[in-house]
Amino acid sequence: MSAPKFPKPSEFAADTRVQLVEETGHYIFTDPSDGGEYEYDEAKGAWFPMWNESLVEQQQSIYGTEQNDDVVEEQESTKRKNKGLARKKENTSVYVSGLPLDTTDEEMVAFFSQCGTIMPDIVTNKPRVKLYRDASGELKGDALVTYYKAPSVQLAVDILDDSRFRPTNSTNIQVQEAKFENKAEHSGEADRTKRLRVDSKLVQKRLNQLERKLDWVDDAGEVADRHKRTVILKHMFTLKELEEDITMLLDLPEDVRAECEKLGKVTSVKVYDLSEDGVIAVKFKDELSAKACVQMMNGRFFGGRQVEATIYDGQTRYKSSKESSKAETVASTSDAQPGRSTNSHGSNDGDEARMEQYAQWLDSGN
């Protein structure tokens, strides 16, 4: 049997035998004469057969019916292997529902980028976010987001599902792994909108650009990675509360650690006891747990105050008596500045009094 006449890339958009599989980004050609399927390799610029029953039968007819058992077993093994590989193609898309009817592409990109890099469109180079619309062009409240890497899918489901898309929304959105139906069952509208001419060189260029971007992010260093694993909790206490009950400096870290360890391994909890915003920093072992903490804690009420939870920006410096005492030890080698009330060690009287009170409480054994 002769090989089918394959279309050129410039003919993909108009050829009804060619379909673009969204989750893989690959083109599939179906031979109408025998149902055989071929996948286009953009890097090599050639079509390659995909294993199916028809292809196996063709190979058997070529070799004849009197094949030895080893040949038959090898073919069957290869067939099962290729079928398994086809089934195991990683899904990199999530389906989102419950979105506000005035959602913008920019909002979607900002929100879902929390869980990973969004795959850019090969032609437009814009993030692959599709907001679905009805026949009249109005938003339906659902969307498809395609990530560059498959692990982002599970991360988005774990963290963003059943969450508030906007703080002002009264309902939550639903995020789930996208399920794709057989493209042949859809109308010609999908073909017209999704079948675009794609240059293989452009594909490679876009992928190289994305890889360089990711490499740069990965090489940012251990410090940047540590910041991504640190959550800043604001409004967890007031300075007045600490003055009235010094034991909060011991109770707060324990309470926060117990709550946050429901989400993952916590490596440290630090109370910035001189911060007017009532800041506590929680450092996790991994970035996923930190993001989950932000989702869980942001907007919750603690001690009658609404908590603000964010990933540490790596720049803001918060005040604590520990850091203050270190700075004051260095400053003690110079004269006290005029107009500032200091003791013989150059420290602020208010800070010194609080540290003395805390030391007395520890000595008391309470």
Side-chain angles (χ1 to χ4, degrees):
M1 181 179 293
S2 60
K5 183 179 180 181
F6 296 112
K8 299 177 181 179
S10 60
E11 301 170 338
F12 288 178
D15 197 321
T16 57
R17 299 172 300 173
V18 179
Q19 295 177 350
L20 175 63
V21 181
E22 277 195 358
E23 59 267 38
T24 63
H26 294 166
Y27 285 96
I28 304 299
F29 172 85
T30 303
D31 188 352
S33 64
D34 59 8
E37 293 184 336
Y38 300 80
E39 185 176 74
Y40 186 69
D41 189 322
E42 293 170 332
K44 298 180 180 179
W47 292 94
F48 292 92
M50 299 179 66
W51 280 99
N52 53 41
E53 295 298 333
S54 175
L55 183 59
V56 173
E57 291 175 1
Q58 290 178 31
Q59 288 197 348
Q60 289 177 344
S61 66
I62 294 173
Y63 285 104
T65 57
E66 296 183 357
Q67 302 176 56
N68 62 50
D69 293 340
D70 291 339
V71 173
V72 173
E73 178 59 28
E74 182 180 354
Q75 289 180 359
E76 290 298 323
S77 176
T78 305
K79 179 181 69 173
R80 289 192 297 269
K81 179 180 178 181
N82 282 275
K83 281 187 175 182
L85 289 174
R87 286 194 298 269
K88 292 180 181 179
K89 287 182 178 178
E90 293 183 311
N91 174 39
T92 59
S93 299
V94 293
Y95 175 74
V96 188
S97 58
L99 291 165
L101 297 181
D102 60 347
T103 301
T104 65
D105 289 341
E106 291 74 18
E107 283 183 296
M108 291 290 292
V109 172
F111 188 80
F112 283 92
S113 290
Q114 301 177 72
C115 298
T117 301
I118 297 178
M119 184 73 173
D121 184 90
I122 298 300
V123 177
T124 65
N125 204 31
K126 294 181 179 179
R128 289 183 61 180
V129 172
K130 180 178 178 58
L131 292 167
Y132 291 107
R133 300 177 181 270
D134 58 24
S136 62
E138 298 296 326
L139 291 177
K140 297 169 59 179
D142 57 346
L144 186 73
V145 179
T146 301
Y147 286 101
Y148 179 62
K149 294 188 177 181
S152 296
V153 172
Q154 190 58 51
L155 182 60
V157 173
D158 292 341
I159 294 181
L160 303 181
D161 182 42
D162 198 28
S163 65
R164 296 287 175 90
F165 184 69
R166 297 171 182 162
T168 55
N169 290 150
S170 58
T171 58
N172 295 347
I173 62 172
Q174 286 73 51
V175 181
Q176 62 189 58
E177 183 177 347
K179 305 295 182 182
F180 295 92
E181 300 176 358
N182 189 344
K183 296 286 191 300
E185 299 176 358
H186 293 278
S187 65
E189 179 181 356
D191 295 335
R192 291 193 300 271
T193 57
K194 296 178 182 177
R195 291 181 183 171
L196 300 173
R197 175 181 176 180
V198 179
D199 183 358
S200 60
K201 293 182 179 179
L202 178 60
V203 173
Q204 194 60 47
K205 177 182 178 182
R206 297 297 190 212
L207 292 177
N208 289 340
Q209 289 175 342
L210 189 56
E211 287 291 351
R212 286 196 297 270
K213 176 182 176 182
L214 293 176
D215 288 343
W216 183 86
V217 173
D218 291 339
D219 293 338
E222 182 181 350
V223 174
D225 180 64
R226 185 168 67 248
H227 295 162
K228 293 178 183 178
R229 294 185 282 111
T230 303
V231 177
I232 298 298
L233 303 176
K234 292 184 178 181
H235 315 304
M236 296 293 290
F237 59 88
T238 65
L239 297 181
K240 184 178 180 181
E241 287 175 340
L242 292 183
E243 291 176 358
E244 294 176 350
D245 184 6
I246 198 66
T247 62
M248 288 185 67
L249 286 174
L250 292 181
D251 294 338
L252 271 174
E254 293 302 319
D255 293 343
V256 171
R257 179 185 289 272
E259 186 70 14
C260 290
E261 283 194 333
K262 297 176 182 178
L263 304 171
K265 176 66 175 178
V266 175
T267 59
S268 70
V269 178
K270 183 171 183 177
V271 178
Y272 288 90
D273 57 330
L274 300 183
S275 169
E276 296 183 356
D277 290 330
V279 173
I280 294 180
V282 183
K283 187 183 298 181
F284 288 89
K285 185 177 180 180
D286 58 81
E287 185 179 347
L288 171 60
S289 300
K291 290 182 176 180
C293 178
V294 171
Q295 290 294 322
M296 180 184 75
M297 298 296 291
N298 191 44
R300 288 181 57 175
F301 284 85
F302 184 84
R305 296 174 298 275
Q306 190 169 23
V307 177
E308 179 182 342
T310 59
I311 297 296
Y312 180 47
D313 59 16
Q315 297 179 350
T316 307
R317 295 292 179 263
Y318 302 101
K319 297 180 180 180
S320 73
S321 55
K322 186 174 182 180
E323 271 77 14
S324 178
S325 62
K326 289 180 180 178
E328 287 159 0
T329 300
V330 175
S332 65
T333 57
S334 60
D335 294 333
Q337 297 179 2
R340 175 182 173 89
S341 176
T342 60
N343 57 22
S344 60
H345 297 289
S347 61
N348 180 277
D349 287 339
D351 296 345
E352 181 70 18
R354 180 186 296 173
M355 293 298 295
E356 180 66 24
Q357 180 185 4
Y358 184 48
Q360 291 175 358
W361 180 84
L362 290 176
D363 293 339
S364 67
N366 293 330

